[in-house]
Amino acid sequence: MRSPNPRVAAVHDLSGFGRASLTVIIPILSTMGIQVCPLPTAVLSTHTGGFDGYKFIDLTDHLEEYIRHWTSLGIEFDCIYSGFLGSPRQIDIISGFIESFRRPGQLVVIDPVMGDDGGLYSAVNTRMVHQMRRYIGLADIITPNYTEAVYLLDKPYKDSVDEEEIKEWLFLLTEQGPDIAIITSVPDCKSRKTTSVIAYNSGDGRFWKVKCDYIPAGFPGTGDGFASVMVGSIMQRDSLPIALDRAVQFISSAIRASYGHRYPEREGVLLERVLGNLKMPVLTCTYEIL
Ligand code: PXL
């Protein structure tokens, strides 16, 4: 007999300060009624976006034993959700984990966390980018931001991009294996005031778009928040466009709740103030079909 709540294996780092990765993912998914089982890839004193001298404890050498224990217990997961990985070797180890813990009806979501604003995070190197291109083939859903999509597809980074070009990129990403590709923070070529999330489901050939108001702030961890709401929403059996709307609306509300206060952006959004929104139904949807 299994406990009734959906269960997710969350393969991410734990950053002690700054609201990113597991400190964002666990509260969001727990609020959405999902049991989170962390498989920590690294422990950091802070995330790497804006703090100098952070302590980085790489857990690569411990992962296989950790996974062996889970195997011996026969634990089953309804979803495997992978994000920031601490070394290129972890990609091989976690690929093996996904293959051996696969079960029918399970969802595999890979957020290929590598960078933002045109560059790679300081803990990510080009070897990881190359491995990531292969790794995303194991996923049902991938959620790169615009910068990560550029790196995955080896495209030049531009400040704005045509919608038709993004559709082509999404198609190319799904050709690498995932059924659904979602690109976040897509800059709008017509307006500096909006960005978009654009998604493609290769199963039915449909493209979806949700526009977001652009707020001139760069809070780290919002990509983790977006992907977590997507995971929670899909596990609650929402459709793809509804899940996109819920995730965009949640992150927008978190940014708006934070932006009016004056504190360092590197501390992330004031998640604690908006978590309750996840309990409410989506009343207005803004998604478009492209
Ligand atoms: O939010 C993505 C992320 C995850 N993990 C670590 C990070 C970042 C972004 O900066 O530094 C350690």
Side-chain angles (χ1 to χ4, degrees):
M1 275 269 243
R2 259 203 55 184
S3 64
N5 292 0
R7 183 184 291 154
V8 175
V11 189
H12 301 259
D13 68 282
L14 176 71
S15 289
F17 188 71
R19 296 191 190 87
S21 49
L22 284 173
T23 61
V24 168
I25 291 157
I26 296 172
I28 288 178
L29 286 170
S30 299
T31 306
M32 296 180 87
I34 290 152
Q35 179 192 4
V36 184
C37 306
L39 172 41
T41 55
V43 175
L44 293 86
S45 51
T46 66
H47 62 67
T48 65
F51 296 98
D52 289 332
Y54 54 82
K55 169 78 175 162
F56 184 105
I57 304 162
D58 180 353
L59 295 178
T60 306
D61 289 340
H62 303 277
L63 290 182
E64 282 163 314
E65 253 183 291
Y66 194 114
I67 293 166
R68 257 198 299 281
H69 187 222
W70 278 6
T71 305
S72 75
L73 295 172
I75 305 174
E76 293 181 343
F77 297 103
D78 303 297
C79 172
I80 297 175
Y81 165 31
S82 142
F84 178 90
L85 300 175
S87 70
R89 190 156 72 84
Q90 286 193 3
I91 298 186
D92 294 329
I93 296 170
I94 302 303
S95 299
F97 169 69
I98 293 172
E99 269 150 14
S100 72
F101 277 72
R102 249 194 212 292
R103 55 191 289 273
Q106 185 191 55
L107 181 70
V108 177
V109 177
I110 294 181
D111 185 8
V113 175
M114 294 189 288
D116 208 354
D117 296 322
L120 294 177
Y121 296 133
S122 58
V124 176
N125 56 39
T126 49
R127 213 178 124 213
M128 283 177 83
V129 176
H130 283 100
Q131 302 244 102
M132 198 61 92
R133 289 181 187 151
R134 200 169 26 89
Y135 180 56
I136 58 168
L138 293 174
D140 300 307
I141 302 181
I142 58 168
T143 58
N145 61 31
Y146 175 65
T147 298
E148 289 155 352
V150 161
Y151 277 97
L152 287 172
L153 294 167
D154 203 13
K155 300 279 185 190
Y157 183 88
K158 298 183 290 186
D159 287 340
S160 73
V161 63
D162 190 57
E163 213 164 84
E164 287 308 308
E165 200 174 341
I166 286 291
K167 285 169 81 172
E168 170 69 16
W169 290 15
L170 286 162
F171 179 77
L172 291 172
L173 288 169
T174 57
E175 292 251 285
Q176 294 180 33
D179 297 330
I180 296 173
I182 302 164
I183 305 182
T184 61
S185 307
V186 178
D188 193 332
C189 62
K190 295 190 199 95
S191 159
R192 298 240 157 244
K193 290 224 161 65
T194 56
T195 64
S196 301
V197 171
I198 306 185
Y200 174 58
N201 182 350
S202 65
D204 60 14
R206 291 194 287 183
F207 290 90
W208 303 97
K209 171 173 168 173
V210 180
K211 275 197 197 141
C212 333
D213 291 341
Y214 177 75
I215 296 177
F219 294 102
T222 48
D224 300 321
F226 174 86
S228 302
V229 180
M230 283 302 303
V231 167
S233 194
I234 298 280
M235 294 195 78
Q236 290 178 354
R237 305 267 170 241
D238 284 331
S239 67
L240 175 60
I242 292 287
L244 293 168
D245 241 317
R246 276 182 91 180
V248 167
Q249 287 182 25
F250 179 73
I251 296 304
S252 301
S253 71
I255 293 173
R256 285 180 189 284
S258 310
Y259 187 62
H261 291 279
R262 288 203 166 270
Y263 69 95
E265 284 176 9
R266 65 184 188 178
E267 293 180 21
V269 289
L270 301 177
L271 185 67
E272 303 79 10
R273 290 183 182 238
V274 291
L275 275 177
N277 297 359
L278 293 168
K279 294 277 188 202
M280 292 190 278
V282 182
L283 295 177
T284 45
C285 287
T286 60
Y287 68 74
E288 300 164 46
I289 187 155
L290 295 183

